[in-house]
Every structure is written in C-alpha cells, then in structure tokens.
Amino acid sequence: MQERHGWTYAREFLAECLTLEDGVDYQFVFRVVEGKADDSAFANIALGLAILKNGKDPERKRSLGCTVSNSDDGKNHFWLFKRVK
C-alpha cells in the first residue's frame, strides 16, 4: 500500500506511484477537498496516467479501480491498495 496526505495537486506524487505489476488488482482511493470529487475526470485521469505509464494490459493480468469522494478533514488524501490475484 502507498499513501499520501495533505497534497494540493495529484501531479505532486502520482507519477511515482504508478509502476504496476502484472497479476495484481489495484484500487486508487482519493479523499479530496470538496469540489474535486464532483468531477469524474479526476478518476479517469489517474487511471489514464497509470495505463500510459505501464502500457495496455491485453491479457488482463491486472485490474484497476478508482474511487473519489469528499474528505472529512478538508485535506487531500490518497491510498493505493493492491491485491495479488
């Protein structure tokens, strides 16, 4: 698991978190300040960056998921969970 807290822009850390292994399920979890969670583009961009950095997975050796919701404390939070298949 990787995590980051108190960031302003996801670009500050996201690129270094995006090296993905085959045979693993990944779940990106963002808890963000109000207003960011309303935009589904946020999740699409995070997943798109992961695909661009790691290449397509035509054999479906890994899966990606992403949830974005409002933070309870007014700060941005990120977790990347992984589960080996």
Side-chain angles (χ1 to χ4, degrees):
M1 178 179 78
Q2 297 180 41
E3 58 186 284
R4 292 290 170 99
H5 306 281
W7 46 273
T8 302
Y9 301 103
R11 67 176 180 250
E12 296 172 8
F13 65 88
L14 198 54
E16 67 191 56
C17 298
L18 294 177
T19 301
L20 307 178
E21 305 167 43
D22 286 343
V24 178
D25 294 331
Y26 289 93
Q27 182 67 33
F28 295 77
V29 178
F30 292 91
R31 301 288 182 256
V32 295
V33 295
E34 197 167 335
K36 283 191 180 204
D38 298 335
D39 188 358
S40 64
F42 190 91
N44 288 331
I45 289 169
L47 293 173
L49 288 172
I51 292 168
L52 282 173
K53 184 170 181 183
N54 293 279
K56 292 185 178 182
D57 184 22
E59 297 177 22
R60 299 180 185 244
K61 293 181 181 177
R62 63 180 172 259
S63 66
L64 304 176
C66 186
T67 59
V68 182
S69 60
N70 288 327
S71 172
D72 294 332
D73 63 2
K75 295 180 182 176
N76 293 317
H77 304 277
F78 166 76
W79 295 268
L80 176 59
F81 297 98
K82 63 182 188 174
R83 180 180 65 192
V84 178
K85 294 181 183 178

